[in-house]
Amino acid sequence: MNLTRRVYDMPQLTLPQGAVHYREAGEGEPVVFLHGYLMDGRLWEPVVDRLTPGHRCVIPDLPLGSHRLPLDPGADLSLPGIARLVADLLTALDLRDVTLVGNDFGTAVAQIVAADHPERIGRLVLTGGECFDNCPPAVFKPLVPAARVPGALTLILQALRLRALRRLPSAYGLLTKRALPHDLIDEWTAAFFADPAVRRDCAKVTRGFDPAPLLDAARKLASFDGPALIAFAPDDRLFPYEHGERLAATIPSARLRAVPDSMTWVMRDQPELISELIEEFIRTTHTRPVGQL
C-alpha cells in the first residue's frame, strides 16, 4: 500500500498538544513507526508496504519540522513532551500491545515512551538513533544554539532546498548509502518553509535536544519487561553500533541484530531485512499484557 497521500486526505487526531496527521495501513497487531528530524512518516514506506496486510501499521507525522499541522503555541516539544504526544496518540487510537518502532530522533522518542509511558507498549524496536549522551550527534550540535536566535535556524536550513547540498554530512548525507529520496525531501523542506508556525515548532524541538532525558530513560529501561529488538548498522557514522550494543545490554530482554551495508536509514538501505527482522520479532515474542507493568 502506497503511503504517499495528499495531506488533506490524511486522517488527523486532535490531541492535547494540537492536531496531528497520521497514516494507517493494514490490519492485525498494531505497529507504530516513529521517524526523525526534518522528515515525515513516509520514510518508513518500504517497510510498511512489506508488513501489511498482516499488521495494522500506524505512522504519525511527528512535529519535527516537516509536519503540515503546527501544534498549539504552548505545546511541550521537549523530548519528554514529544514522548507524551506519542503516548496520547496511542490512547486516542486505543492501540494496545503496540510494537513501537523508532529510527533517528524517533528512536530517542521511543525510548522515553517505553520508559515513562509503557502502558500500551508490548514490544520495542530501536534502530539507529539518539541514545545515551549522543543527542544530537556532533555534526548537528550547531543547530541547537542557532534555534535560540530568531531566524537563524531558518537561514541555516535554506541549504536543504538545493539538492546538490543535501549530501553534506550536516544535511542528509550520513543517513543513507543509497540515492537520496529527493522528491520526498523537496516536500519535507517545503513544509518547513511554508508555515512560520511549523518553523516555530521545529525551533522548539531543536532547542530541546538534550541527552539528560535519554540518560534517565536508559536507567528506567533497565526495568522494561517487554521484548526489545535493537537493529543498528555497523557502518552508521551518526549513531555508533556500540550504542546499540549498550542498549541491548541495558534492556533485559533485548536481542541485538546488525544491519549490514546500511547507515541510519535502515528502512531505506535494507528494507527487506528490516521487514523480516520485525516480522520475526513479532512472531517469536509475546507482548506484556496491558496493565502488568
Side-chain angles (χ1 to χ4, degrees):
M1 179 176 180
N2 194 309
L3 296 179
T4 302
R5 303 174 60 184
R6 294 180 182 272
V7 170
Y8 50 75
D9 289 338
M10 290 171 57
Q12 67 183 62
L13 287 171
T14 300
L15 303 177
Q17 301 84 353
V20 176
H21 277 134
Y22 68 99
R23 297 169 175 84
E24 185 170 355
E27 298 178 352
E29 290 191 53
V31 186
V32 176
F33 295 86
L34 306 181
H35 61 81
Y37 183 77
L38 288 175
M39 55 196 79
D40 68 21
R42 287 173 293 176
L43 181 73
W44 280 104
E45 184 175 355
V47 169
V48 171
D49 283 348
R50 289 167 168 83
L51 291 180
T52 54
H55 304 281
R56 180 185 178 187
C57 296
V58 177
I59 314 96
D61 281 355
L62 299 176
L64 303 182
S66 294
H67 53 301
R68 280 82 177 173
L69 292 175
L71 295 188
D72 296 340
D76 179 1
L77 294 182
S78 65
L79 248 174
I82 298 170
R84 163 55 70 183
L85 181 148
V86 171
D88 289 342
L89 180 139
L90 301 183
T91 300
L93 292 174
D94 195 24
L95 300 178
R96 300 171 185 272
D97 292 336
V98 169
T99 298
L100 185 64
V101 185
N103 178 259
D104 198 321
F105 194 72
T107 283
V109 176
Q111 290 169 72
I112 298 175
V113 174
D116 291 345
H117 312 285
E119 296 83 7
R120 293 176 180 267
I121 307 303
R123 302 179 185 87
L124 185 62
V125 179
L126 303 176
T127 68
E130 277 93 346
C131 52
F132 303 109
D133 60 352
N134 188 33
C135 182
V139 69
F140 296 124
K141 286 189 184 297
L143 296 178
V144 179
R148 300 189 182 108
V149 179
L153 185 64
T154 301
L155 182 63
I156 291 172
L157 296 181
Q158 287 282 354
L160 298 180
R161 289 175 147 174
L162 301 176
R163 291 187 173 191
L165 298 182
R166 291 174 182 169
R167 269 293 178 188
L168 292 174
S170 56
Y172 295 93
L174 296 180
L175 293 171
T176 177
K177 289 192 171 186
R178 308 302 189 261
L180 288 174
H182 283 296
D183 290 345
L184 270 181
I185 297 173
D186 288 342
E187 294 190 29
W188 296 342
T189 56
F192 175 85
F193 288 107
D195 191 333
V198 168
R199 297 195 293 276
R200 175 206 66 208
D201 288 351
C202 186
K204 288 173 67 176
V205 169
T206 309
R207 292 194 296 270
F209 285 156
D210 180 6
L214 286 174
L215 293 169
D216 181 59
R219 289 188 289 269
K220 295 175 181 176
L221 287 174
S223 300
F224 181 74
D225 61 355
L229 170 65
I230 314 298
F232 273 48
D235 294 341
D236 195 334
R237 293 165 57 190
L238 291 173
F239 307 110
Y241 186 72
E242 291 76 11
H243 286 184
E245 293 176 320
R246 284 180 62 190
L247 279 173
T250 298
I251 303 172
S253 59
R255 58 179 72 172
L256 175 67
R257 298 291 185 268
V259 183
D261 192 27
S262 180
M263 296 177 79
T264 301
W265 281 354
V266 293
M267 77 295 285
R268 292 276 164 172
D269 287 343
Q270 294 286 2
E272 191 70 38
L273 174 59
I274 292 301
S275 303
E276 290 173 357
L277 287 175
I278 294 174
E279 180 72 57
E280 177 194 31
F281 176 59
I282 293 174
R283 186 177 66 252
T284 60
T285 58
H286 297 285
T287 62
R288 177 189 60 239
V290 171
Q292 295 184 18
L293 304 179

